[in-house]
Short mmCIF file of all heavy atoms in Angstrom, two decimals:
data_model
loop_
_atom_site.label_atom_id
_atom_site.label_comp_id
_atom_site.label_asym_id
_atom_site.label_seq_id
_atom_site.Cartn_x
_atom_site.Cartn_y
_atom_site.Cartn_z
N HIS Q 168 5.58 -127.51 -2.16
CA HIS Q 168 6.69 -128.38 -1.83
C HIS Q 168 7.24 -128.00 -0.44
O HIS Q 168 8.07 -128.79 0.08
CB HIS Q 168 7.76 -128.36 -2.90
CG HIS Q 168 7.45 -129.33 -4.03
ND1 HIS Q 168 6.40 -129.16 -4.85
CD2 HIS Q 168 8.10 -130.46 -4.39
CE1 HIS Q 168 6.38 -130.14 -5.72
NE2 HIS Q 168 7.34 -130.98 -5.46
N ILE Q 200 11.48 -130.94 1.75
CA ILE Q 200 10.82 -130.38 0.57
C ILE Q 200 10.16 -131.55 -0.21
O ILE Q 200 10.79 -132.61 -0.40
CB ILE Q 200 11.94 -129.72 -0.35
CG1 ILE Q 200 12.61 -128.61 0.32
CG2 ILE Q 200 11.41 -129.38 -1.72
CD1 ILE Q 200 11.76 -127.33 0.37
N GLY Q 201 8.90 -131.34 -0.58
CA GLY Q 201 8.16 -132.36 -1.26
C GLY Q 201 6.66 -132.27 -1.00
O GLY Q 201 6.26 -131.35 -0.30
N THR Q 202 5.95 -133.18 -1.56
CA THR Q 202 4.49 -133.17 -1.23
C THR Q 202 4.11 -134.61 -0.94
O THR Q 202 4.84 -135.55 -1.21
CB THR Q 202 3.65 -132.65 -2.41
OG1 THR Q 202 3.92 -133.43 -3.61
CG2 THR Q 202 3.90 -131.22 -2.69
N LEU Q 226 4.22 -126.71 -8.07
CA LEU Q 226 4.90 -127.33 -9.19
C LEU Q 226 4.17 -128.58 -9.71
O LEU Q 226 3.28 -129.12 -8.95
CB LEU Q 226 6.31 -127.70 -8.83
CG LEU Q 226 7.22 -126.60 -8.28
CD1 LEU Q 226 8.56 -127.17 -7.82
CD2 LEU Q 226 7.48 -125.51 -9.33
N SER Q 228 4.80 -131.79 -9.67
CA SER Q 228 4.69 -132.95 -8.81
C SER Q 228 3.73 -132.75 -7.68
O SER Q 228 3.11 -133.69 -7.25
CB SER Q 228 6.09 -133.33 -8.31
OG SER Q 228 6.84 -132.20 -7.87
N ASP A 31 19.93 -136.79 -11.12
CA ASP A 31 18.83 -135.81 -10.95
C ASP A 31 19.38 -134.41 -10.69
O ASP A 31 18.81 -133.38 -11.08
CB ASP A 31 17.98 -136.23 -9.72
CG ASP A 31 16.60 -135.51 -9.68
OD1 ASP A 31 16.14 -134.99 -10.77
OD2 ASP A 31 16.04 -135.35 -8.58
N GLY A 35 17.62 -131.76 -12.49
CA GLY A 35 16.50 -131.57 -11.57
C GLY A 35 17.00 -131.09 -10.22
O GLY A 35 17.88 -130.29 -10.12
N ASP A 36 16.44 -131.60 -9.17
CA ASP A 36 16.77 -131.12 -7.82
C ASP A 36 17.60 -132.08 -6.98
O ASP A 36 17.79 -131.88 -5.82
CB ASP A 36 15.49 -130.73 -7.10
CG ASP A 36 14.53 -131.89 -6.99
OD1 ASP A 36 14.76 -132.90 -7.61
OD2 ASP A 36 13.48 -131.72 -6.30
N GLY A 37 18.04 -133.18 -7.62
CA GLY A 37 19.06 -133.97 -7.00
C GLY A 37 18.52 -134.91 -5.94
O GLY A 37 19.33 -135.38 -5.10
N ASP A 38 17.26 -135.25 -5.95
CA ASP A 38 16.75 -136.07 -4.85
C ASP A 38 16.15 -137.43 -5.30
O ASP A 38 15.54 -138.10 -4.50
CB ASP A 38 15.70 -135.26 -4.05
CG ASP A 38 14.46 -134.87 -4.92
OD1 ASP A 38 14.46 -135.25 -6.10
OD2 ASP A 38 13.60 -134.18 -4.34
N HIS A 39 16.25 -137.70 -6.61
CA HIS A 39 15.57 -138.96 -7.07
C HIS A 39 16.13 -140.21 -6.32
O HIS A 39 15.31 -141.07 -6.02
CB HIS A 39 15.72 -139.10 -8.59
CG HIS A 39 14.86 -140.25 -9.13
ND1 HIS A 39 13.49 -140.26 -8.98
CD2 HIS A 39 15.19 -141.31 -9.84
CE1 HIS A 39 13.06 -141.39 -9.55
NE2 HIS A 39 14.04 -142.06 -10.08
N ASN A 42 14.69 -140.12 -2.78
CA ASN A 42 13.24 -140.41 -2.86
C ASN A 42 12.93 -141.91 -3.07
O ASN A 42 12.17 -142.52 -2.36
CB ASN A 42 12.60 -139.65 -4.00
CG ASN A 42 12.46 -138.17 -3.79
OD1 ASN A 42 12.58 -137.73 -2.64
ND2 ASN A 42 12.30 -137.42 -4.86
N VAL A 77 7.71 -141.17 -0.55
CA VAL A 77 8.58 -140.68 -1.54
C VAL A 77 8.78 -139.19 -1.62
O VAL A 77 9.90 -138.67 -1.58
CB VAL A 77 8.19 -141.23 -2.97
CG1 VAL A 77 9.13 -140.64 -4.00
CG2 VAL A 77 8.29 -142.75 -3.01
N GLY A 78 7.70 -138.44 -1.70
CA GLY A 78 7.82 -136.98 -1.65
C GLY A 78 7.94 -136.28 -2.94
O GLY A 78 7.43 -135.19 -3.10
N GLY A 79 8.63 -136.83 -3.92
CA GLY A 79 8.79 -136.20 -5.21
C GLY A 79 7.77 -136.67 -6.23
O GLY A 79 6.90 -137.46 -5.93
N ALA A 80 7.99 -136.24 -7.48
CA ALA A 80 7.13 -136.67 -8.61
C ALA A 80 7.10 -138.08 -8.70
O ALA A 80 6.08 -138.77 -9.06
CB ALA A 80 7.59 -136.03 -9.88
N SER A 81 8.25 -138.80 -8.48
CA SER A 81 8.32 -140.24 -8.59
C SER A 81 7.37 -140.97 -7.63
O SER A 81 6.96 -142.10 -7.88
CB SER A 81 9.74 -140.71 -8.44
OG SER A 81 10.29 -140.21 -7.25
N ARG A 174 10.59 -131.46 -13.68
CA ARG A 174 11.44 -130.37 -13.34
C ARG A 174 12.49 -130.10 -14.47
O ARG A 174 12.83 -128.96 -14.72
CB ARG A 174 12.25 -130.61 -12.13
CG ARG A 174 11.54 -130.25 -10.88
CD ARG A 174 12.21 -130.90 -9.70
NE ARG A 174 11.30 -130.99 -8.61
CZ ARG A 174 11.20 -130.11 -7.63
NH1 ARG A 174 11.99 -129.06 -7.65
NH2 ARG A 174 10.28 -130.25 -6.72
N LEU L 59 13.27 -124.08 -1.43
CA LEU L 59 12.87 -124.76 -2.64
C LEU L 59 13.88 -124.47 -3.77
O LEU L 59 14.25 -125.40 -4.51
CB LEU L 59 11.40 -124.29 -3.06
CG LEU L 59 10.71 -124.96 -4.19
CD1 LEU L 59 10.55 -126.47 -3.91
CD2 LEU L 59 9.35 -124.32 -4.39
N GLN L 62 17.33 -126.18 -3.42
CA GLN L 62 17.38 -127.55 -3.85
C GLN L 62 17.67 -127.61 -5.34
O GLN L 62 18.32 -128.59 -5.84
CB GLN L 62 16.05 -128.21 -3.55
CG GLN L 62 16.25 -129.61 -3.01
CD GLN L 62 14.91 -130.40 -3.07
OE1 GLN L 62 13.94 -129.97 -3.72
NE2 GLN L 62 14.87 -131.53 -2.43
N LEU L 63 17.21 -126.63 -6.10
CA LEU L 63 17.34 -126.67 -7.53
C LEU L 63 18.71 -126.09 -7.99
O LEU L 63 19.20 -126.50 -9.08
CB LEU L 63 16.26 -125.80 -8.20
CG LEU L 63 14.85 -126.40 -8.13
CD1 LEU L 63 13.80 -125.37 -8.47
CD2 LEU L 63 14.75 -127.56 -9.14
MG1 MG N 505 12.18 -133.26 -5.51
#
Side-chain angles (χ1 to χ4, degrees):
Chain Q
H168 276 66
I200 296 285
T202 56
L226 305 175
S228 41
Chain A
D31 194 27
D36 57 353
D38 62 1
H39 187 58
N42 288 342
V77 176
S81 49
R174 273 163 204 265
Chain L
L59 186 61
Q62 219 197 14
L63 289 165

